[in-house]
Amino acid sequence: MKNPDPDDLRKQLESGPLERPGFTSKLQREIEEAVERKERTKPRIKPMLCFAGVGAIAAAILLFPWNTLHTQSDAAPVADAAITATTASLNLSPTPITTALLIGLRTEHEPTSEPGRVLKPMRYSTYRTMLIAPVRGQLQKTSEGSGILMPYKQNFWKIDSLVHRTKTDEFHYLSAHLADQPVKPEVFPDQEDEQLNRTETLLFAGNQYVSIAESEQTVRGGTPYQADRIWVRTLPQLKEGHTVQFYNKPVDKNHVSIADVYGTNTNISGVLASISSSLRGEVSGESWTVQREPGHWVGKVAETPRVTNTAAVPDSYALHDFPRELPDKVVNHDDLCCNWNGIQSSWPQATDALTSPMNDMLVIFENGKLKFYPYGQAPGSDPQLVLNLLPGEQLVMAQWATDHYVEEWIDKVGRYLAPETDKHVPSID
């Protein structure tokens, strides 16, 4: 017998009039049996549908054209990169230079022997300062002059290298004075029975600090004597005078120790002890310097001979790295746009580089030239300005002016540097 479908039965019930009594016991049993069969069928139908659905999904995965999708996913980054490159090319116009750079440079010279002198003259240095600033949108060298012109507080100071000669002595010394005041040459003691050569070399100038190397040569009792010292001083300390005849003055208090600069709460004594632990000499932190390395200034502490009760040892020193960054009070801006490896990847022959505090000027020292670029200009393009360096010329000072100080510096530096009496190094057009 064919089992009646419940839906057919429902239709029969809904239709009328009936040929016989509508809801008989037989019809009730048939309905109940149909419902029971439907309930028993449910557990078998659901797993079958589930497996069928999984099979359909697996077939869809296997049959889907994944190679087309992969091609499209590869194409998306290419399109994004093209859009990014296009946007970058539209937005990479170099930042206009609004900053001025006051740069101080040092050139070392070999001495020329003079007849009648037992002592051979010592190497000495000369200095020059240039101001590079934007004028009507064009970067140019606005001033150049001898010596080091540096801003100090609300004024400009000048450091000149002067020479004092007598029949037996020769002094190359540094003189510090306000830029609007004349130089006052100094008089050094002269002992006719003793020959003496003395040289002071400026290694760094920034804020109120200067780093100076001092060397002396003499003949005492027919025996040559040479001594070397290195100090960090303030400008007023440099102005106060000079220590001559080291062998008579074992202590020079006219300087700034490294602890004075970093402060007493920075464990400087522990750092110095760690440095000196493996050395034969002494590292007190009294003698130190600021030295230029590619892309930044660093502190160096001097190892000096240990004081003993035996015969006095001539002053000498060996420099060692000081493992801390220089504080802002010494160098208030010493940040480079990128690391040194990044500079050399674009300028392989670069020996040094500077970046302005406004990140609008990049200066590259390369192949005996100073090359000035607007920050953001692509490597390989022509610099805005190129200046020749003298042979062996080294950086001593880099001071920056921004905002309204640019025009103020152009005016004041132009008055304080006297181009008619200075050695001029032409720029490259």
Side-chain angles (χ1 to χ4, degrees), residues 210-418:
V210 291
S211 182
I212 299 170
E214 302 175 342
S215 297
E216 278 190 357
Q217 286 181 341
T218 188
V219 177
R220 300 181 63 203
T223 304
Y225 170 94
Q226 177 165 342
D228 300 285
R229 294 177 175 178
I230 195 164
W231 308 106
V232 171
R233 307 187 196 273
T234 63
L235 273 173
Q237 286 175 336
L238 177 59
K239 188 177 183 297
E240 286 176 10
H242 311 267
T243 300
V244 184
Q245 298 175 335
F246 291 168
Y247 50 85
N248 288 332
K249 300 178 180 66
V251 178
D252 185 349
K253 297 182 179 180
N254 193 28
H255 66 272
V256 177
S257 72
I258 202 165
D260 294 333
V261 168
Y262 283 90
T264 57
N265 298 324
T266 53
N267 192 31
I268 295 302
S269 60
V271 177
L272 295 173
S274 176
I275 295 172
S276 62
S277 61
S278 60
L279 303 175
R280 296 180 60 185
E282 179 183 13
V283 180
S284 65
E286 296 295 326
S287 177
W288 67 289
T289 187
V290 178
Q291 183 172 296
R292 186 68 184 179
E293 292 191 352
H296 64 294
W297 298 101
V298 296
K300 299 273 187 175
V301 288
E303 174 193 0
T304 57
R306 294 187 183 275
V307 178
T308 63
N309 295 326
T310 59
V313 178
D315 290 85
S316 62
Y317 62 86
L319 295 177
H320 299 274
D321 292 336
F322 189 71
R324 295 207 178 172
E325 291 186 3
L326 291 167
D328 289 344
K329 64 189 298 184
V330 178
V331 182
N332 57 0
H333 174 71
D334 193 31
D335 296 325
L336 202 57
C337 62
C338 46
N339 60 39
W340 183 245
N341 290 335
I343 292 291
Q344 288 205 310
S345 65
S346 300
W347 292 276
Q349 302 302 315
T351 57
D352 204 348
L354 298 167
T355 304
S356 65
M358 300 297 290
N359 284 329
D360 59 354
M361 184 195 302
L362 175 65
V363 186
I364 300 294
F365 293 65
E366 185 179 40
N367 296 327
K369 296 177 176 59
L370 287 177
K371 301 179 179 181
F372 297 81
Y373 297 88
Y375 188 71
Q377 182 170 324
S381 54
D382 293 333
Q384 273 199 13
L385 179 67
V386 179
L387 300 174
N388 283 331
L389 290 169
L390 295 173
E393 202 165 29
Q394 301 176 50
L395 181 67
V396 169
M397 178 191 72
Q399 298 289 305
W400 302 90
T402 59
D403 302 324
H404 66 279
Y405 291 105
V406 173
E407 290 299 325
E408 181 179 327
W409 281 25
I410 291 174
D411 177 58
K412 289 185 177 181
V413 173
R415 287 189 278 115
Y416 296 147
L417 294 179

Side-chain angles (χ1 to χ4, degrees), residues 73-95:
S73 65
D74 287 345
V78 174
D80 291 342
I83 294 171
T84 303
T86 304
T87 305
S89 64
L90 293 175
N91 295 334
L92 257 185
S93 55
T95 304

